[in-house]
Amino acid sequence: MAQPTVSPPLATRGSDFSRWLREIKSAGLLERRTAAYAMAIGINVVLMGLTWAGIAVVGSSWWVLLLALPLGILTTRAAFFGHDAGHQQ
């Protein structure tokens, strides 16, 4: 006679990913943080505007190369914000 199968507890069912996902969701790490993103995007926009203003003030001088570093960082941050928005994060 066949024994009835007993399903494993919820914590051991599925792949490693599904267990990790349950743990991450229960910790609240996937909740939307719209205020934090709005503040970060606002700060990024202000700093990018200040950097472009600095470029306009310095003009065609070698000193403008010093502003390339913050401009590169800020545009990369803007790209990450756009990437996250594309994934509706």
Side-chain angles (χ1 to χ4, degrees), residues 24-80:
I24 288 170
K25 281 184 178 180
S26 68
L29 296 175
L30 292 179
E31 293 177 6
R32 292 181 188 254
R33 300 176 301 154
T34 53
Y37 266 103
M39 184 177 290
I41 290 170
I43 290 170
N44 202 62
V45 166
V46 168
L47 290 176
M48 194 176 292
L50 289 172
T51 305
W52 278 111
I55 290 172
V57 167
V58 172
S60 61
S61 166
W62 285 99
W63 291 103
V64 78
L65 292 176
L66 292 176
L67 295 172
L69 179 64
L71 190 61
I73 292 169
L74 293 169
T75 54
T76 301
R77 283 176 48 99
F80 275 115

Side-chain angles (χ1 to χ4, degrees), residues 2-15:
Q3 295 280 337
T5 59
V6 178
S7 61
L10 185 61
T12 60
R13 258 190 259 161
S15 66

